[in-house]
Amino acid sequence: VFSFIGYKSSEVNVNNRSVIDMTLTEEASSLKEVIINAGYWQVKDVERTGNIVRLDAKDIQKQPVQNPLAAMQGRLAGVDIVQQTGIPGSNFQVRIRGTNSIANGNEPLYIIDGVPYTSTTMSLPETSNQIYGLGSSPLNTINPADIESIEVLKDADATAIYGSRGSNGVILISTKKGKAGKTKIDFNVYSGVGKVTRSLNLLTSQQYLQMRHEAFANDNVTPTLANAVDLLTWDTTRYTDWQQTLIGGTAHTTDAQLSLSGGDASTLFSIGTGYHRETTVFPGENADQRFSVLASINNSAFNQKLKTSFSLNYTISNTNLLSQDLTPRALSLPPIAPPLYDDQGELSWTHWTSSFENPMAYTQRIYESSTNNLIGTTTINYSILPNLITRISLGYTNIVMNAITTNPISAQAPAPPVRQNSSSFSASSFSNWIIEPQLNWRPTLGKGQFDVLIGTTFLDQTTEGSSQTGYGYSSEALMKNLSAAPNRTSGTNFYNQYRYQAVFGRLNYSWKGTYIINLTGRRDGSSRFGPGNQFANFGAIGAAWIFTQLPAFTNTLSFLSYGKLRASAGITGNDQLGNYQFLDTYSSSAGPYQGTIGLQPDRLSNPDFAWETNEKIEAGLELGFWENRILSSVSFYQNRSSNQLVGYPLPATTGFTSIQGNFPATVQNKGLEIELTTLNIEQADFSWSTAINFTRPRNELIDFPNLQNFPAYANTYVVGQPLNIRKLYNNTGIDPISGLYSFEDVNQDGFYTISDKKIIRFLGQDYYGGLQNNLQYKGITLDFLFQFVKQTGYSYLQTFNAPPGTMTNFPTFITTEHWTPGDDATIQRYSVSTQGAAANALYINSQYYEADASFIRLKNISLSYSLPAKWLQKIRMQSIRTYLQGQNLATFTRYKGLDPETQLNNLPPLRVLTIGIQITL
């Protein structure tokens, strides 16, 4: 009998054979033996009372991604992940069951092998805000190939034990450990290419020139060198497809992994190394690279009473990318723009200016960064008695990042102001240590089983950073040496320390595996709050009834193989407000006075504010049919985040616009989550399984007393509406006389102000989810995932926010849709006037700048072939697998922009195709 967790058991006759080769089939309906990591404990999936979703290594390895967050997209109910750009190393927005906080952080808590991990970018503005305008992701330093599983904790029962840090959900990442058995060597390598998935239809040279001439004629303005350099000095016979030139390249990906693992009943070990390199579609061979090492060892001694585990994850990431995303220029540059290079192959500055730069200048303005990431964990368990275990967990994280952005003279237009070589340098670091002693007691009382856990947490976390800029280098060869700069200025300089301690506990009781109750609690203390408010209590209760354990159900409903009702309620917190917010703080003055640098106040003290709190309730039903060939889960949740930390407005005479404090505003997130897994076909040579997840979220600001007294918030939010809304002007069409956009002047005062923005539009998701299929035929396996999102977003026209007729490119549809006398048009007349610009500025903030950004995307496909066992036996290999994988392969959408997911004028996520081979000795 061959059996393994997550696979269907198989029984074969020995028939006097000494060697028996067997391939097991994945069992999608396996529940009883699947172990879920709940953070401080592990639980069988069938017995959990909380809402926890899991992504296994087998699903992660099917995706050619650099960041673990990319592997989660579309696969987990209640987890919304949006890739911000297609640039290697860029950030992801992660929201677990919506946005809870008005003014402070909404990021989940990341725990890697028991150690908290930063969710904020390490980059400082001086060196990174151009290429990573939305931040770089710290999780890029985590090798997806090193991950064994990712668990996402969502409801109060699962997150309350993390107290003040669990309000926005918890993401647990567990790295791979050794497994008992013969020592094996695993080698996996793949290579691939990436391209931008779609392009826009933009004006040709003739269409562009027609637009410009018509604009000047409409306004009765004479073209001059000041307002029409393109018409008077550029070669109007030229045509350049800037999308192809600037973002039409091919990105290359290379990934290689090598690991050694094995062990016996007492000692398990694993060591692996990985290398990943990824270029961009921009001109040049700039790339993001990562080298990683993961080592772990587990040992059992003294008759399994003493168990120790140690893991070390070290990563070096190096980046040398352009300092600017060229996508906005690819969309806006006129098709008749001047040549990029002169006859000698050097950057051309003829007709290019400092305000209208040669985009290839950015190929010489390089952003370079180096990040060293160390995560070390040690766990010691000792069984004092058979049911009494003491445990201590120790963890340490250290991330150090150094970055440089250069701006050489060769990348600057030869025009005033005076050119000089300059470089910006930054250094930042994040480190924390954590110690968590625990005691676990599991007594049996009759037919019931108790599980009692108590523990404490001690955490110390520091972040620091500084930046400087050097000017006037005598040679470009010296620009990476700050000491060679004759002139230097200081920028960002900070040091923050965060200390945290807690006492936590869990009481779980299971009666005959049928009725389960789970109580969790935590008392947190944080240095982020003032005296008297540094401690707070959080807790939850969860319950489950596995009713199919009762014969009355199984005898009556023979098709029902599994059924569970569960519910939970509790309170978690949010402390993502930064350090020292309760203190009067000061910073160095901008300039010296009589040779002395002084201090200037930054913040007023308010020692009375405390945590935001999130009250969570949930009910769920899980069912399995026909021996769990069909598994379904339906969850209803409601989260209410209150005691919101906002800025109270202050009179200008105080010298400050606001002071930080708690306010009884309440944000509600509620929704429906559905998960369905089916084993459609299961035969000896062929199997087919399907997994579907669906989430329908609803966000609402249900209370904000005296909102009108908070202008910064009153102009953005409305009670009874979601947080993600926009207040817009009412565009009433095009004035038939002027040919410009017209708008409703609500208060009839002749001006357009915030009070005239009476149209409210929700920009967000109605629902989202994913559909995954797995098909296996002998040694051939096909996996594919469709991601779907129903949402309203920003129109792609926001990319072209200049008035039609000005010196920038536009989509071709304006040639037939722009106004001319007597036309019923949707686009105002071509114009170069200030009136046209003013009307266009209002149009950008009207209802026509929203669009249906829904999409269905073939997110991932993986086709693999494993050699038969009889072939492997001849060449003495455990396995050989070849595969073809793709990411973001096809997008079906009505959205007319580059990408409905990002909706921005950043580089969109790329279509990636890879081919690889995996060999196990």
Side-chain angles (χ1 to χ4, degrees), residues 218 408 427 691 878:
N218 287 340
Q878 290 194 37

Side-chain angles (χ1 to χ4, degrees), residues 34 129 188 200 327 340 369 382 384 398 431 466 491 525 544 561 577 698 703 707 727 808 840 850:
V34 175
N129 65 338
N188 187 12
L200 303 184
T327 308
L340 298 174
S369 71
Y382 185 75
I384 303 173
N398 183 255
S431 65
S466 62
S561 52
L577 73 158
R698 289 295 179 267
D703 190 25
L707 175 59
K727 291 185 175 181
T808 185
N840 190 75
E850 64 178 42

Side-chain angles (χ1 to χ4, degrees), residues 132-273:
Y132 293 129
L134 298 168
S136 59
S137 174
L139 289 176
N140 282 309
T141 59
I142 306 300
N143 184 0
D146 291 338
I147 297 176
E148 182 65 32
S149 67
I150 300 175
E151 274 92 356
V152 180
L153 284 54
K154 297 185 288 187
D155 70 330
D157 179 73
T159 61
I161 200 163
Y162 287 98
S164 63
R165 303 171 295 164
S167 178
N168 301 317
V170 183
I171 295 180
L172 305 174
I173 298 177
S174 302
T175 57
K176 293 180 178 179
K177 307 295 188 294
K179 295 180 175 62
K182 180 182 176 182
T183 299
K184 69 174 184 178
I185 299 175
D186 189 88
F187 176 69
N188 187 12
V189 61
Y190 69 78
S191 181
V193 295
K195 299 280 289 187
V196 172
T197 58
R198 59 199 302 191
S199 60
L200 303 184
N201 292 324
L202 302 180
L203 298 178
T204 64
S205 298
Q206 294 75 18
Q207 292 169 328
Y208 172 80
L209 291 170
Q210 180 182 354
M211 176 192 70
R212 292 284 284 155
H213 287 300
E214 186 176 328
F216 281 100
N218 287 340
D219 295 331
N220 197 24
V221 175
T222 301
T224 66
L225 289 178
N227 60 23
V229 64
D230 54 336
L231 300 181
L232 300 180
T233 64
W234 290 4
D235 181 358
T236 56
T237 64
R238 284 181 51 80
Y239 172 75
T240 303
D241 183 348
W242 291 112
Q243 292 181 91
Q244 178 61 36
T245 301
L246 300 181
I247 62 173
T250 300
H252 296 275
T253 300
T254 301
D255 188 281
Q257 309 291 329
L258 177 65
S259 64
L260 175 70
S261 63
D264 53 27
S266 61
T267 302
L268 305 174
F269 70 91
S270 175
I271 184 170
T273 63

Side-chain angles (χ1 to χ4, degrees), residues 44-85:
K44 291 182 179 179
D45 191 24
V46 70
E47 296 177 353
R48 60 178 172 82
T49 54
N51 194 319
I52 304 174
V53 289
R54 173 187 173 99
L55 185 68
D56 291 314
K58 61 183 178 63
D59 290 317
I60 298 174
Q61 71 178 6
K62 296 171 185 175
Q63 305 179 70
V65 295
Q66 178 189 19
N67 192 309
L69 295 175
M72 300 167 61
Q73 286 186 288
R75 296 179 181 269
L76 304 175
V79 183
D80 175 37
I81 300 176
V82 176
Q83 184 174 347
Q84 303 288 278
T85 79

Side-chain angles (χ1 to χ4, degrees), residues 658-732:
S658 65
I659 182 172
Q660 193 83 353
N662 293 102
F663 198 80
T666 302
V667 177
Q668 175 178 276
N669 284 286
K670 63 180 181 180
L672 167 68
E673 297 173 358
I674 300 174
E675 296 173 281
L676 179 66
T677 302
T678 62
L679 185 57
N680 308 313
I681 299 175
E682 186 181 31
Q683 298 177 352
D685 291 333
F686 179 70
S687 66
W688 172 29
S689 62
T690 301
I692 305 173
N693 72 83
F694 172 88
T695 303
R696 184 179 178 86
R698 289 295 179 267
N699 176 270
E700 182 183 353
L701 177 63
I702 63 174
D703 190 25
F704 199 129
N706 302 315
L707 175 59
Q708 67 277 5
N709 296 329
F710 294 77
Y713 301 109
N715 294 337
T716 305
Y717 303 115
V718 175
V719 174
Q721 294 286 343
L723 294 183
N724 193 20
I725 62 171
R726 285 194 69 193
K727 291 185 175 181
L728 303 167
Y729 297 110
N730 180 23
N731 184 332
T732 56

Side-chain angles (χ1 to χ4, degrees), residues 482-531:
L482 180 60
S483 62
N487 303 300
R488 280 168 276 179
T489 60
S490 295
T492 302
N493 198 318
F494 67 90
Y495 175 88
N496 290 322
Q497 185 177 35
Y498 166 51
R499 287 184 173 178
Y500 169 90
Q501 65 184 49
V503 177
F504 59 88
R506 173 188 184 236
L507 174 61
N508 179 275
Y509 178 72
S510 175
W511 187 75
K512 298 176 64 176
T514 303
Y515 303 97
I516 305 171
I517 188 168
N518 193 58
L519 300 172
T520 55
R522 192 177 189 103
R523 179 169 174 79
D524 278 350
S526 171
S527 65
R528 288 178 173 166
F529 301 93

